[in-house]
């Protein structure tokens, strides 16, 4: 397979094809797993139904996520093989915009893949990448899946976990962390257990959280706390599910409802 993508930018499914190509390249580079390929396929199906755009309720959740990051003492962005392949620049940019740490954290952890992902992130401008020490454990998970850095995710108060698996999302929640989950499936356990579920593609979500963070930089603590307090996670999940089930016909409905609330 070639490393180049030859898709004309005016192709109606340009973004989707580019995303697929990045995942393929990630697999070839040893940063994305076979499981990651399957996850990508599931994600694409949900994104197709969402209309491949950031719906208003997701944009709102992205703003809330940015507020949580700016309020945090120690925010961390958890990066797996799909996220590294899809949005390495955006992860680095979000870390810069919010002062967050970046930590490689894999469901199917191998030292080789952790190192390859850390290297890939550095190629995209990351300075300090955590996840290689793995000297702490998330309680309640089996050994390999529980490994994190003691000065990274273990110590974090706010964690962004894009495409996290349900068990680990739950275990992190039980540690008392504020969890921001990006997942295209509002019914997945990860989305269901998140403090802030973002039902959007990571390709759109991560840059948009960074944009909101820059926009909110001048905001006071009180203003940020107000944004966070006003968030209704159940309404966010319900809005996304309505969009998925109703499809294009329900679009005005969702926008109208969000606007009215
Ligand atoms: P669980 O209920 O345990 O969460 P699951 O079926 O969701 O099970 P996962 O391994 O978490 O299993 O699946 C990956 C998730 O990531 C799927 O929900 C999929 O929709 C989502 N996903 C895949 N690609 C993307 C993407 N680019 N952006 C956002 N979400 C994605
Ligand atoms: Mg999941």
């Amino acid at each position: 397979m070639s490393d180049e993508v030859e898709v004309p930018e005016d192709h109606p499914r340009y973004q989707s094809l580019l995303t697929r190509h990045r995942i393929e390249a990630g697999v070839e580079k040893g940063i994305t797993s076979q499981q990651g390929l399957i996850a990508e396929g599931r994600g694409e199906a949900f994104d197709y139904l969402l209309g491949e755009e950031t719906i208003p309720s997701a944009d709102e959740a992205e703003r809330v996520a940015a507020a949580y990051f700016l309020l945090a003492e120690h925010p961390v962005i958890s990066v797996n093989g799909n996220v590294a392949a899809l949005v390495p620049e955006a992860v680095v940019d979000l870390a810069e915009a919010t002062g967050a740490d970046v930590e490689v954290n894999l469901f199917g952890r191998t030292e080789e893949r952790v190192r390859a992902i850390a290297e890939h992130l550095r190629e995209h401008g990351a300075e300090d990448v955590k996840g290689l020490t793995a000297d702490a454990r998330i309680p309640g998970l089996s050994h390999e899946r529980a490994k994190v850095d003691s000065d990274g995710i273990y110590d974090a108060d706010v964690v962004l976990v894009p495409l996290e698996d349900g068990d680990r999302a739950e275990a992190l929640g039980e540690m008392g962390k504020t969890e921001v989950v990006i997942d295209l499936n509002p019914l997945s356990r990860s989305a269901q257990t998140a403090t802030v579920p973002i039902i959007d593609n990571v390709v759109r979500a991560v840059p948009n959280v960074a944009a909101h963070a820059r926009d909110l930089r001048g905001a006071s603590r009180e203003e940020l706390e107000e944004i966070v307090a006003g968030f209704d996670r159940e309404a966010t999940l319900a809005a996304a599910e309505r969009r998925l089930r109703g499809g294009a016909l329900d679009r005005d409905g969702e926008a109208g409802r969000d606007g009215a609330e």
Side-chain angles (χ1 to χ4, degrees):
M1 262 174 277
S2 133
D3 212 20
E4 298 297 319
V5 59
E6 291 295 337
V7 186
E9 282 190 37
D10 60 352
H11 188 289
R13 315 233 32 245
Y14 176 76
Q15 266 308 330
S16 164
L17 293 174
L18 189 66
T19 298
R20 214 173 287 175
H21 175 80
R22 284 193 170 195
I23 290 286
E24 269 176 30
V27 173
E28 278 169 27
K29 212 175 163 185
I31 62 180
T32 307
S33 68
Q34 303 281 344
Q35 284 298 322
L37 264 182
I38 298 170
E40 163 68 18
R42 276 210 297 296
E44 276 189 36
F46 284 110
D47 206 16
Y48 193 93
L49 293 172
L50 277 178
E52 293 174 345
E53 64 180 16
T54 300
I55 63 175
S57 53
D59 182 57
E60 193 199 324
E62 283 154 9
R63 190 168 179 82
V64 171
Y68 266 116
F69 259 61
L70 294 175
L71 284 168
E73 248 164 59
H74 185 194
V76 176
I77 306 167
S78 174
V79 176
N80 68 12
N82 286 51
V83 174
L86 291 175
V87 283
E89 309 90 347
V91 164
V92 173
D93 185 56
L94 177 60
E96 267 171 26
T98 59
D101 276 335
V102 173
E103 177 163 341
V104 181
N105 191 244
L106 304 179
F107 180 74
R109 182 188 173 91
T110 67
E111 289 307 310
E112 208 186 344
R113 215 149 66 75
V114 174
R115 268 197 295 274
I117 291 172
E119 182 52 35
H120 182 72
L121 290 169
R122 282 190 211 102
E123 281 167 18
H124 287 85
E127 272 162 30
D128 184 24
V129 181
K130 296 191 188 295
L132 295 140
T133 323
D135 53 347
R137 305 280 175 273
I138 304 169
L141 293 175
S142 64
H143 193 69
E144 281 306 303
R145 292 176 55 203
K147 286 184 171 177
V148 287
D149 280 16
S150 57
D151 63 350
I153 289 175
Y154 190 82
D155 176 64
D157 53 349
V158 178
V159 196
L160 174 67
V161 279
L163 281 69
E164 181 56 282
D165 129 89
D167 282 349
R168 289 204 306 186
E170 252 170 49
L172 286 171
E174 273 163 28
M175 284 178 82
K177 299 188 190 303
T178 297
E179 263 186 293
V180 180
V181 166
I182 302 172
D183 194 319
L184 279 158
N185 178 7
L187 303 174
S188 90
R189 283 179 307 145
S190 348
Q192 293 281 337
T193 55
T195 319
V196 184
I198 295 176
I199 312 305
D200 199 4
N201 197 317
V202 288
V203 170
R204 298 185 299 267
V206 178
N208 200 32
V209 175
H212 279 302
R214 292 213 159 89
D215 189 47
L216 289 171
R217 247 187 199 163
S220 67
R221 241 193 128 74
E222 288 68 34
E223 285 171 293
L224 295 173
E225 275 162 3
E226 218 170 281
I227 292 172
V228 158
F231 183 64
D232 182 345
R233 59 184 298 284
E234 300 304 327
T236 300
L237 290 167
E241 194 180 339
R242 257 199 321 279
R243 169 66 86 98
L244 286 172
R245 294 192 192 275
L249 290 175
D250 201 33
R251 265 171 213 179
D252 293 342
E254 204 244 355
R257 207 187 110 95
D258 278 12
E261 274 170 2

